[in-house]
Amino acid sequence: MFKNFIIILVSLVIMNSCDKNNKMLKEDINNKDNIVYSLVENDLSEDDIKSLLYSYEIVAKPPYNAKLLFLEKIKFGIPGGDNWLAEWSSRDGGNGGTLVLYLIKNNAIKKHYYSIGNFDMQVHSRFDIMKDIPGIHIRNGTSSLGDFNEDGIDEIFQYGFYGMGFSVNIWGYDAEKDDLVTYCDIPFRIIDAENGQAPVEFMTYKGIDGFKVYYAETVVAGGPNDIPETPLGNDKWFFYTWDEGEKKYIRIEEVKDGE
């Protein structure tokens, strides 16, 4: 009798343990931060992401019938999910577009960040000013995706063509601001739209990695009524490198011919 009681007691303990394990497994699977969800999230295909972005069109793109032109999973440093960079077609139907950065987790868009336009290079230069820029070139525009400061996180290089002047920008993510920031904003000039050379060259200069820019500031400090004067630094090559302490690219010095 006592032996039968012991057998029944052991069976009840085993069954209770199994129930607890099953309950814990269900809770783990339903936990959004559990690795099971991370595996599902990482299994999303590019087609899945495209469908998700089109379904998110109210805030994913401008209020017109935009088309998705470019899509790339990137390491931009935004925590809490996968980082995807997309380009949507422009309103005027030109070759340029709008870059939007997305934070995606568990088959849902958690947040999106707007960058600036990806400009059509052919409008500004027949010479290919992008051909030697490292990284993944975003279509035939003036933007490239890559780890330019070699910190293990992607950034966006961009030639920006604006009404008031042209500028070289490298965009990154600022965790404190939870927003995109520009690591440099350097005015430049197209040297020769037909024959080149490109106004930016990535290089190692005096043992330092960085890039040189054909510097040209065209915005007059006093406004359009000011008498324009050519700044002393214009039409010269200047070398820039990443400063980890300041979290931006800083100017080192002028690069002379032959250096």
Side-chain angles (χ1 to χ4, degrees), residues 61-79:
K61 57 185 180 180
Y64 58 91
N65 190 26
K67 294 181 180 179
L68 188 61
L69 304 175
F70 174 89
L71 182 63
E72 186 78 20
K73 186 177 181 180
I74 64 177
K75 295 179 180 179
F76 216 71
I78 302 175

Side-chain angles (χ1 to χ4, degrees), residues 6-25:
I6 293 297
I7 293 173
I8 293 172
L9 181 61
V10 171
S11 299
L12 289 173
V13 171
I14 293 174
M15 290 175 64
N16 185 50
S17 177
C18 289
D19 288 340
K20 286 184 177 180
N21 288 339
N22 288 336
K23 183 179 180 181
M24 290 173 64
L25 180 59

Side-chain angles (χ1 to χ4, degrees), residues 181-198:
V181 295
T182 182
Y183 293 148
C184 65
D185 188 1
I186 308 167
F188 76 95
R189 188 194 311 279
I190 295 290
I191 300 170
D192 185 333
E194 298 294 339
N195 303 303
Q197 66 191 102

Side-chain angles (χ1 to χ4, degrees), residues 6 35 66 69 90 103 107 113 116 121 127 134 138-139 176 180 183 191 197 199 202-203 220 227 234 250 254 256:
I6 293 297
I35 191 171
L69 304 175
S90 63
L103 176 65
N107 200 25
Y113 305 79
I116 55 179
M121 182 179 62
F127 178 82
I138 303 176
R139 299 190 311 109
E176 291 184 3
L180 301 186
Y183 293 148
I191 300 170
Q197 66 191 102
F202 281 80
M203 61 187 297
V220 180
I227 298 174
N234 269 13
I250 59 172
E254 181 184 353
K256 304 289 187 178

Side-chain angles (χ1 to χ4, degrees), residues 6-231:
I6 293 297
I7 293 173
I8 293 172
L9 181 61
V10 171
S11 299
L12 289 173
V13 171
I14 293 174
M15 290 175 64
N16 185 50
S17 177
C18 289
D19 288 340
K20 286 184 177 180
N21 288 339
N22 288 336
K23 183 179 180 181
M24 290 173 64
L25 180 59
K26 290 178 180 178
E27 289 175 351
D28 283 344
I29 292 175
N30 291 326
N31 183 352
K32 291 183 179 180
D33 296 323
N34 188 269
I35 191 171
V36 174
Y37 269 78
S38 296
L39 290 174
V40 172
E41 171 193 339
N42 292 335
D43 280 344
L44 291 177
S45 68
E46 187 171 305
D47 287 338
D48 293 330
I49 298 297
K50 287 180 180 179
S51 298
L52 184 62
L53 294 186
Y54 274 110
S55 68
Y56 190 69
E57 64 182 60
I58 295 176
V59 291
K61 57 185 180 180
Y64 58 91
N65 190 26
K67 294 181 180 179
L68 188 61
L69 304 175
F70 174 89
L71 182 63
E72 186 78 20
K73 186 177 181 180
I74 64 177
K75 295 179 180 179
F76 216 71
I78 302 175
D82 291 335
N83 302 174
W84 287 82
L85 180 67
E87 182 186 9
W88 295 96
S89 60
S90 63
R91 182 187 296 272
D92 60 9
N95 290 327
T98 301
L99 298 175
V100 185
L101 185 65
Y102 297 93
L103 176 65
I104 298 178
K105 184 177 182 180
N106 300 338
N107 200 25
I109 296 175
K110 299 299 183 182
K111 196 165 185 179
H112 69 280
Y113 305 79
Y114 279 97
S115 179
I116 55 179
N118 185 27
F119 299 89
D120 182 3
M121 182 179 62
Q122 295 297 322
V123 172
H124 304 280
S125 178
R126 272 69 65 195
F127 178 82
D128 187 359
I129 59 175
M130 289 292 295
K131 69 174 183 176
D132 293 322
I133 300 298
I136 300 172
H137 294 181
I138 303 176
R139 299 190 311 109
N140 59 347
T142 60
S143 304
S144 183
L145 174 69
D147 180 9
F148 299 101
N149 59 8
E150 298 183 345
D151 63 351
I153 299 174
D154 290 327
E155 298 89 38
I156 300 171
F157 169 91
Q158 188 169 75
Y159 286 113
F161 293 95
Y162 309 101
M164 294 294 291
F166 304 161
S167 66
V168 173
N169 300 105
I170 296 181
W171 296 85
Y173 173 73
D174 186 309
E176 291 184 3
K177 296 179 180 179
D178 186 27
D179 204 355
L180 301 186
V181 295
T182 182
Y183 293 148
C184 65
D185 188 1
I186 308 167
F188 76 95
R189 188 194 311 279
I190 295 290
I191 300 170
D192 185 333
E194 298 294 339
N195 303 303
Q197 66 191 102
V200 171
E201 180 185 344
F202 281 80
M203 61 187 297
T204 300
Y205 175 71
K206 295 184 178 179
I208 304 173
D209 292 332
F211 56 86
K212 67 177 183 179
V213 178
Y214 192 69
Y215 189 94
E217 187 174 358
T218 58
V219 178
V220 180
N225 295 325
D226 236 6
I227 298 174
E229 295 181 2
T230 302

